[in-house]
Amino acid sequence: DDDGEDYVLGLIEEICEDTDVISCRRMAPLIKSIPLSGPGGIHVGVFELMLRQEPVDALYGFFSRHGLFTKSWDIKLVLAQLCAIDGIECNRQEAIKVQDTNFTMGEESFVLTIPEEEEVIDTLY
C-alpha cells in the first residue's frame, strides 16, 4: 500500500539524515534479491530490486555492471522471467538508463530522461 511505503521511505530519509549516528548505503529497502546464473549454471551475480524501482531499470543496471550486453545476453528474455515472479510488478519494457529530475544545461534546468535505446550524446546535443 502506497501510504505504508510513503511512511517507510519518509522514516528512512529522516533517520539517514543524521549522519553522525547512522550511515545509510541506500534510501530504499530491498524487496527482491535473486541470484542469476548463465549458461552452464555459472553464477553471474545477484539481481536486487528496491522498493518502487522499475524492474527493467534495475535489470539494465545489472546487465551493465556484469557486462552482459557484451556477452549477448537478451535483456527482454530475462525481464520476462523476472516479471513472472510473484511480487515483481513490471510496468515498462524499456529501461531508463539516465534520469535526472534537476538537470542543468547552461541557464536551464529540466528533467533529463534517456531511454535505453537512445545515445546519451544525441539526447544532450
Side-chain angles (χ1 to χ4, degrees):
D1 126 301
D2 282 350
D3 288 339
E5 289 177 5
D6 288 341
Y7 175 76
V8 168
L9 293 173
L11 186 61
I12 290 168
E13 187 174 328
E14 186 174 319
I15 291 171
C16 291
E17 280 180 354
D18 190 357
T19 57
D20 293 337
V21 179
I22 302 271
S23 175
C24 299
R25 291 191 327 239
R26 52 187 157 77
M27 297 300 287
L30 184 66
I31 59 168
K32 288 286 182 188
S33 181
I34 303 167
L36 294 183
S37 300
I42 298 170
H43 178 74
V44 174
V46 178
F47 170 78
E48 295 181 333
L49 183 64
M50 306 301 163
L51 181 67
R52 294 189 179 168
Q53 184 178 27
E54 187 61 38
V56 70
D57 297 337
L59 189 59
Y60 186 90
F62 181 86
F63 266 56
S64 294
R65 280 189 306 283
H66 295 283
L68 301 180
F69 290 114
T70 60
K71 295 177 183 171
S72 299
W73 275 47
D74 185 347
I75 191 169
K76 300 297 183 198
L77 179 65
V78 177
L79 180 64
Q81 293 170 351
L82 288 173
C83 293
I85 295 173
D86 190 40
I88 295 182
E89 184 179 326
C90 299
N91 298 303
R92 275 190 283 110
Q93 298 296 307
E94 185 178 17
I96 294 174
K97 62 181 169 185
V98 176
Q99 180 145 36
D100 187 337
T101 56
N102 192 24
F103 185 79
T104 303
M105 185 181 277
E107 304 269 327
E108 286 186 59
S109 290
F110 53 93
V111 175
L112 174 67
T113 302
I114 303 175
E116 71 179 275
E117 296 300 323
E118 287 186 27
E119 283 299 322
V120 174
I121 193 68
D122 293 339
T123 303
L124 293 175
Y125 182 74

